[in-house]
Amino acid sequence: MTTENMKNNTFTDVSEDAYYYNAVTWSSQKGIALGVNTDIFDPDRVCSIADTLTFLWRANGAPEPTIKNPFKDIIQDDYYYKAALWAFEKELISGNTFTASNICTRGQVMLLFYLLAGSPQTELVKFDDIAMDSVYLRAVSWAVNQKIAYGKTQRTFAPDEICTREDVIVFVYKA
């Protein structure tokens, strides 16, 4: 990405009146989420677990991992390699298969944020589409209470809705 692009956010697919304009500008200036090329951000592109964790890793200073690769399906040349190891160290993910292309949902992204924050206590927020015993309930409640995310309506959160690059970058920006 050119310096001019980072400074002025000249992505042709991110208009100044888009709700995610400030988040995209900030993320590109900080090197958290760059464009897919010098002119295109591709805000509507589906966000994979590899993309999401890479954005979170970069937003947290892109620290060097201190563990050996526990995953059988990634190699050091993968763009998300260090992010995946960092996420494993932070206990955001587990197991020995990373599955980089898995798509992230709103509920999963909120769970990653919540775990990264240390799973703090929070007042529960009731949504009709999140069961009281859901793994996402505390994470979503925390994210809503922190104003990182909002419901799709007053009564629904849409935890199973697929996240796009614009969605995840807005969440990172707000966090």
Side-chain angles (χ1 to χ4, degrees):
M1 171 172 288
T2 66
T3 305
E4 184 66 26
N5 214 1
M6 288 175 60
K7 187 183 289 184
N8 297 320
N9 190 12
T10 58
F11 295 122
T12 59
D13 60 346
V14 178
S15 68
E16 288 187 31
D17 60 347
Y19 80 92
Y20 50 84
Y21 177 83
N22 289 338
V24 169
T25 301
W26 169 83
S27 72
S28 66
Q29 289 172 342
K30 299 289 185 185
I32 294 167
L34 305 178
V36 296
N37 65 43
T38 57
D39 298 322
I40 304 294
F41 184 77
D42 202 2
D44 296 325
R45 178 190 253 176
V46 171
C47 214
S48 68
I49 188 68
D51 297 331
T52 301
L53 289 175
T54 299
F55 297 158
L56 285 174
W57 172 68
R58 289 175 181 159
N60 281 276
E64 286 294 318
T66 61
I67 62 168
K68 290 185 179 186
N69 181 0
F71 304 109
K72 62 183 180 181
D73 61 340
I74 68 173
I75 60 172
Q76 198 166 3
D77 289 339
D78 293 325
Y79 76 88
Y80 50 82
Y81 178 80
K82 289 182 180 182
L85 271 59
W86 170 82
F88 188 89
E89 286 181 290
K90 293 289 188 184
E91 299 181 359
L92 304 180
I93 56 174
S94 60
N96 65 356
T97 305
F98 183 65
T99 319
S101 62
N102 276 1
I103 305 300
C104 280
T105 64
R106 285 171 51 88
Q108 291 168 330
V109 172
M110 293 307 103
L111 183 58
L112 291 171
F113 276 74
Y114 180 68
L115 293 171
L116 188 57
S119 304
Q121 291 295 321
T122 191
E123 182 180 334
L124 295 181
V125 177
K126 175 73 174 113
F127 287 106
D128 291 347
D129 57 353
I130 301 177
M132 292 304 287
D133 62 350
S134 170
V135 67
Y136 301 132
L137 180 62
R138 288 200 181 282
V140 167
S141 295
W142 173 82
V144 169
N145 289 329
Q146 296 297 310
K147 297 183 180 10
I148 295 168
Y150 299 94
K152 287 294 193 166
T153 70
Q154 286 187 349
R155 298 179 55 150
T156 62
F157 185 78
D160 298 326
E161 183 177 294
I162 293 172
C163 278
T164 61
R165 284 171 51 93
E166 72 189 53
D167 295 328
V168 176
I169 287 307
V170 167
F171 295 147
V172 171
Y173 179 67
K174 290 180 177 182

